[in-house]
Amino acid sequence: MTPAERNALLTKFISERGLKSTRQRTLIVDTFFESDGHFSVEELWAKVRAQDAKVSVATVYRTMKLLTEAGLAHAQNFGEGQARYEPAVGRDHHDHLICTRCGTIVEFEDERIEQLQSAVARKHGFTVTSHKLELYGLCRECQRSEPRR
Amino acid sequence: MTPAERNALLTKFISERGLKSTRQRTLIVDTFFESDGHFSVEELWAKVRAQDAKVSVATVYRTMKLLTEAGLAHAQNFGEGQARYEPAVGRDHHDHLICTRCGTIVEFEDERIEQLQSAVARKHGFTVTSHKLELYGLCRECQRSEPRR
DNA sequence: CTCCTTGCAAAAACTTTGCATTCCC
DNA sequence: GGGAATGCAAAGTTTTTGCAAGGAG
């Protein structure tokens, strides 16, 4: 999805709710979508402050909450004690492979797994609205540099 | 696995490391394994304090960390901002179906999903050591009592 | 006796909130 | 001008840690 399309969605969301578009908001949102990855609030804050040193963490938290409510970002919890956000719109659903040594996160998707998940849920009478699949291990590089001991 | 078997593992772990078996430790461990479920530290602490009012949270945290290192418990992070622990040994691996309305947690396992996960990891050069699969939605009861609007 | 463990309270890490001020529209 | 957003600092949460006192082996 293009920045223009994303901005259209955001503008709509903001105007529908009587919210306002501010310098900080714009900066945070642009920074977040610029390089898509998986940001912690702290990392995002660092990037934002590089452009405007006076933006407070609170504003970053508030903006990410807003983006999440607008459906433009998803909060992921990889068990590090702090949430990570990732862009959410215009991207296919995907899951994560996480290297426990270097922290690399690889995204993947597998239609067959999704289907099996639906089947399992159905069997238990559940209606599934979302899911989270994370595989933890060592990436190729870390397997090399950290030989079995 | 029987309490006896579990205790054997724990005793081994403790003696191997020069640790000690204390009243509090025993109480917390027994309470944790007694009714297997998914406890937050706070819930576990409440149960423990019902038997010994003077046990501190810190001890519960320290004991659960110990159990985790010993491989007898696993920390799960369902994104509530606080971790939940579940017994880990002598049970087959399983994943979770979580009702987002009433909080019910159903465990399931599916060999085919596991196989597909391995295949995906291999394709990306990862060696997987663990994984987490959670399906979020409404359980049968909550679908009934919360009709579509 | 030794040194591990505990309780307590303080500290840490992450996130939210209250309030006066500033800024959109 | 008026309501919304910001910055700041204070407060909340959850978890960890330092230290003196107590306890297991």
Side-chain angles (χ1 to χ4, degrees):
Chain A
M1 127 152 157
T2 67
E5 290 167 332
R6 180 233 307 153
N7 275 327
L9 280 174
L10 188 56
T11 302
K12 180 163 174 284
F13 182 82
I14 285 183
S15 65
E16 275 174 358
R17 313 205 163 194
L19 305 181
K20 289 172 182 176
S21 174
T22 66
R23 181 173 43 83
Q24 293 92 326
R25 219 109 103 165
T26 304
L27 175 58
I28 294 168
V29 171
D30 285 347
T31 303
F32 176 64
F33 284 106
E34 222 150 61
S35 59
D36 47 15
H38 301 79
F39 293 114
S40 65
V41 169
E42 181 135 12
E43 289 164 354
L44 187 54
W45 189 32
K47 287 200 164 210
V48 166
R49 270 191 303 179
Q51 304 211 219
D52 181 343
K54 290 183 215 66
V55 176
S56 84
V57 225
T59 301
V60 179
Y61 275 106
R62 287 190 273 232
T63 303
M64 289 318 295
K65 193 175 176 186
L66 209 70
L67 280 182
T68 302
E69 285 163 6
L72 292 167
H74 281 159
Q76 294 278 335
N77 200 325
F78 294 127
E80 311 149 295
Q82 76 183 237
R84 280 182 183 282
Y85 288 90
E86 62 174 19
V89 173
R91 312 179 66 214
D92 287 333
H93 170 79
H94 59 268
D95 295 302
H96 298 99
L97 265 162
I98 301 151
C99 179
T100 51
R101 183 158 179 255
C102 68
T104 295
I105 297 173
V106 173
E107 300 177 350
F108 70 88
E109 50 187 304
D110 190 303
E111 181 54 35
R112 293 165 304 168
I113 292 180
E114 312 270 316
Q115 285 170 5
L116 288 174
Q117 288 176 1
S118 302
V120 167
R122 216 176 303 124
K123 195 168 69 186
H124 289 275
F126 268 68
T127 301
V128 171
T129 51
S130 69
H131 75 258
K132 187 159 70 172
L133 170 58
E134 290 151 22
L135 308 180
Y136 296 91
L138 292 178
C139 68
R140 217 189 304 268
E141 286 66 37
C142 289
Q143 288 172 54
R144 280 209 202 92
S145 53
E146 192 181 63
R148 177 171 308 159
R149 355 169 199 187
Chain B
M1 122 154 152
T2 68
E5 292 169 329
R6 179 235 304 154
N7 275 327
L9 280 174
L10 188 56
T11 302
K12 179 164 176 286
F13 182 82
I14 285 184
S15 65
E16 277 175 357
R17 312 204 164 194
L19 306 181
K20 290 171 182 176
S21 173
T22 66
R23 180 172 42 85
Q24 293 91 327
R25 222 111 100 165
T26 305
L27 175 57
I28 294 168
V29 171
D30 285 348
T31 304
F32 176 63
F33 284 107
E34 223 150 60
S35 59
D36 46 15
H38 302 79
F39 293 113
S40 65
V41 168
E42 182 134 12
E43 289 163 355
L44 187 53
W45 189 32
K47 287 201 162 208
V48 166
R49 271 190 303 180
Q51 303 212 218
D52 181 344
K54 289 183 214 69
V55 177
S56 82
V57 224
T59 301
V60 179
Y61 273 107
R62 287 189 273 231
T63 302
M64 291 317 295
K65 193 175 177 185
L66 211 68
L67 281 181
T68 302
E69 285 163 5
L72 293 167
H74 282 160
Q76 294 278 337
N77 202 324
F78 294 127
E80 311 148 292
Q82 77 183 226
R84 282 181 182 280
Y85 287 90
E86 62 173 18
V89 173
R91 313 178 65 214
D92 287 333
H93 171 78
H94 60 268
D95 294 302
H96 299 98
L97 264 163
I98 299 151
C99 178
T100 50
R101 183 158 180 256
C102 69
T104 295
I105 297 174
V106 173
E107 300 178 350
F108 70 89
E109 49 188 306
D110 191 302
E111 180 55 33
R112 294 166 303 169
I113 293 180
E114 311 269 317
Q115 284 171 5
L116 288 174
Q117 288 176 359
S118 302
V120 167
R122 215 177 303 125
K123 194 167 71 186
H124 289 276
F126 268 67
T127 301
V128 171
T129 51
S130 69
H131 74 258
K132 190 160 66 172
L133 170 57
E134 290 150 24
L135 308 182
Y136 296 90
L138 292 179
C139 68
R140 217 187 306 266
E141 286 66 36
C142 289
Q143 286 172 54
R144 281 208 201 92
S145 53
E146 194 182 62
R148 179 169 307 158
R149 356 169 202 187

